[in-house]
Amino acid sequence: VGAGQVAQAADDYKSFGVRVRAIYVKPDESTGGALSTVKTSVSDDIIPELDLEYFFTKNFSAELIAGVTRHDIKLGNGVAAGLGNGFQGSTWLLPPTLTVKYHPLAGSTFSPYVGVGLNVIFPFNSKLNGVNDFQIDNSVGWAVQAGTDVKIAENLYFNIDYKYLNADTKATVGGTKYKLDLNPHLIGIGVGYRF
């Protein structure tokens, strides 16, 4: 009977979960080539984010996040790169990310986790004032994650989460491609429900 109770406890977990988070997105931008001589900045953003989670076992799950961010872009005095006196613009980013997570203390009130996975970033509606030919390429990169779930009621959890997305891409400015790595840090808090 004891062995049966242990087996039942091991299987007593909810397979599906959904979370809503508020996410602070902080790009860690860097440039290459001639653009590296230009002061380049990509603004932070705060967004709502939805994620879906599926538990393969009590300790292992997969998480898919969805959200859209908007960032202002500033290129400072760009004489060295042939960019005149600098430009300002913006871009939107759609960064779906899938991670596989390990929950060493699954079932506890405090349940930390770590994860690793893949992200794809789709920039769209990218604009740079005064430049007709401006776009940012899509990118595929890796993602790492750490956080914790805190049980606050039956099936209801408070969540704190951190992700780093490797986003190495290129920007076309006036017909010339430059390295523009975005590499955002995502810091989030929210609530989740498992069913």
Side-chain angles (χ1 to χ4, degrees):
V1 176
Q5 290 176 337
V6 171
Q8 181 179 357
D11 292 332
D12 186 19
Y13 65 93
K14 306 298 182 181
S15 296
F16 293 94
V18 60
R19 288 191 195 87
V20 177
R21 295 189 184 109
I23 301 291
Y24 173 58
V25 182
K26 181 175 180 56
D28 185 14
E29 67 275 3
S30 63
T31 56
L35 202 60
S36 63
T37 64
V38 179
K39 180 176 174 57
T40 303
S41 65
V42 180
S43 69
D44 304 346
D45 196 13
I46 298 176
I47 63 164
E49 178 235 66
L50 175 71
D51 78 68
L52 303 175
E53 187 168 20
Y54 176 74
F55 283 80
F56 301 102
T57 70
K58 185 177 180 180
N59 298 100
F60 288 93
S61 68
E63 179 187 282
L64 176 66
I65 69 166
V68 178
T69 68
R70 182 191 179 281
H71 303 275
D72 293 326
I73 299 174
K74 294 183 180 179
L75 303 181
N77 190 324
V79 174
L83 297 176
N85 293 318
F87 298 98
Q88 297 185 8
S90 63
T91 189
W92 291 79
L93 303 176
L94 175 64
T97 302
L98 179 66
T99 57
V100 175
K101 300 162 59 179
Y102 172 58
H103 309 254
L105 302 179
S108 302
T109 300
F110 291 87
S111 179
Y113 56 81
V114 292
V116 63
L118 182 72
N119 80 85
V120 182
I121 292 184
F122 300 101
F124 64 95
N125 201 23
S126 300
K127 301 175 182 178
L128 200 60
N129 294 339
V131 178
N132 292 327
D133 185 9
F134 176 69
Q135 66 178 21
I136 301 175
D137 293 349
N138 300 340
S139 73
V140 178
W142 48 267
V144 291
Q145 175 182 25
T148 188
D149 290 313
V150 182
K151 188 172 183 178
I152 55 179
E154 188 64 28
N155 298 335
L156 187 64
Y157 296 83
F158 173 74
N159 176 258
I160 301 174
D161 184 83
Y162 167 78
K163 291 184 183 70
Y164 175 80
L165 308 184
N166 170 250
D168 297 343
T169 185
K170 295 182 183 297
T172 299
V173 184
T176 302
K177 280 201 173 188
Y178 302 94
K179 175 184 175 183
L180 174 62
D181 297 343
L182 299 173
N183 300 332
H185 300 267
L186 280 62
I187 302 167
I189 59 172
V191 293
Y193 185 81
R194 293 184 191 168
F195 54 94

